[in-house]
């Protein structure tokens, strides 16, 4: 592979992996590079793997471990908050079943 050479002393990542401020924010928060992000999107053809309808735009991660699980749509990302909390999920199921 290529050898990474810093362009200045404060540079932490190569320009190919972290080309701009958006990629830098993603690297700092999720520890994934722009090429890794693009590869993840390519694997799912840019479509949310949960609903199979909307564009995958949210990086989903386990809040306990910080590990990235994948890229999903904002709707399914919000819904996962409900699914991850057993008590909320149980209340949602009871709510649906009563009608």
């Amino acid at each position: 592979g290529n050898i990474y050479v810093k362009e200045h002393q404060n540079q932490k990542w190569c320009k190919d992996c972290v080309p701009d401020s958006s990629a830098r924010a993603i690297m700092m928060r999720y520890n994934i590079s722009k090429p890794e992000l693009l590869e993840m999107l390519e694997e799912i053809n840019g479509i949310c793997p949960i609903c199979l309808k909307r564009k995958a735009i949210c990086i989903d991660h386990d809040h306990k471990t910080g590990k990235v699980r994948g890229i999903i749509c904002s709707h399914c990302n919000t819904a996962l908050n409900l699914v991850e909390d057993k008590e909320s999920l149980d209340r949602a199921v009871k709510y649906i079943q009563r009608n």
Side-chain angles (χ1 to χ4, degrees):
N2 294 340
I3 297 172
Y4 165 55
V5 178
K6 288 184 177 187
E7 294 175 20
H8 53 81
Q9 75 180 53
N10 293 334
Q11 185 177 346
K12 294 181 181 177
W13 303 287
C14 77
K15 294 281 186 189
D16 292 335
C17 294
V18 185
D20 53 33
S21 62
S22 174
R24 186 168 56 248
I26 290 169
M27 177 61 94
M28 289 170 66
R29 182 166 183 189
Y30 302 107
N31 197 33
I32 58 173
S33 68
K34 181 85 173 211
E36 289 170 319
L37 180 69
L38 294 174
E39 185 178 325
M40 292 170 74
L41 282 168
E42 189 176 311
E43 286 174 5
I44 59 172
N45 294 318
I47 301 298
C48 177
I50 297 174
C51 69
L52 303 176
K53 296 177 192 173
R54 292 175 285 275
K55 280 181 85 170
I57 58 169
C58 295
I59 299 171
D60 173 51
H61 68 288
D62 184 317
H63 289 256
K64 291 177 185 155
T65 66
K67 185 176 187 299
V68 172
R69 293 185 284 221
I71 307 175
I72 60 180
C73 74
S74 60
H75 180 83
C76 289
N77 191 45
T78 301
L80 280 186
N81 288 328
L82 182 68
V83 173
E84 288 176 321
D85 177 17
K86 178 149 176 31
E87 289 79 25
S88 292
L89 182 60
D90 290 344
R91 286 192 301 273
V93 169
K94 286 176 186 168
Y95 173 81
I96 290 172
Q97 289 174 342
R98 73 172 205 223
N99 292 320

